[in-house]
Amino acid sequence: MRARYIADLAGDFRLSRPLKVVCATGNGTAGAFAPDLLERIGCTVVPLHTGLDYTFPAYNPNPETME
């Protein structure tokens, strides 16, 4: 199921040039698929805080939080 979801999101899109990205998901839900999706489209991925952990030990992943 997960592989089909990533395949559906990526489609046939591929980057036209190499790109290295830091994928920092704050231990939130995106950590379950974002690194694989980015690799699928051709990125070199540096994962950061991608393990799922509902206590959010690194930082609050809410983009609306100003701290």
Side-chain angles (χ1 to χ4, degrees), residues 14-36:
R14 297 294 177 268
L15 294 173
S16 60
R17 63 183 179 89
L19 188 64
K20 186 173 185 176
V21 298
V22 175
C23 182
T25 62
N27 301 104
T29 304
F33 65 89
D36 292 337

Side-chain angles (χ1 to χ4, degrees), residues 3-63:
R4 287 178 32 197
Y5 178 65
I6 291 172
D8 187 52
L9 288 174
D12 61 357
F13 179 80
R14 297 294 177 268
L15 294 173
S16 60
R17 63 183 179 89
L19 188 64
K20 186 173 185 176
V21 298
V22 175
C23 182
T25 62
N27 301 104
T29 304
F33 65 89
D36 292 337
L37 175 61
L38 291 168
E39 285 179 357
R40 171 96 180 225
I41 66 171
C43 295
T44 299
V45 177
V46 178
L48 183 64
H49 308 298
T50 56
L52 300 179
D53 186 341
Y54 71 92
T55 66
F56 305 111
Y59 52 87
N60 182 349
N62 184 349

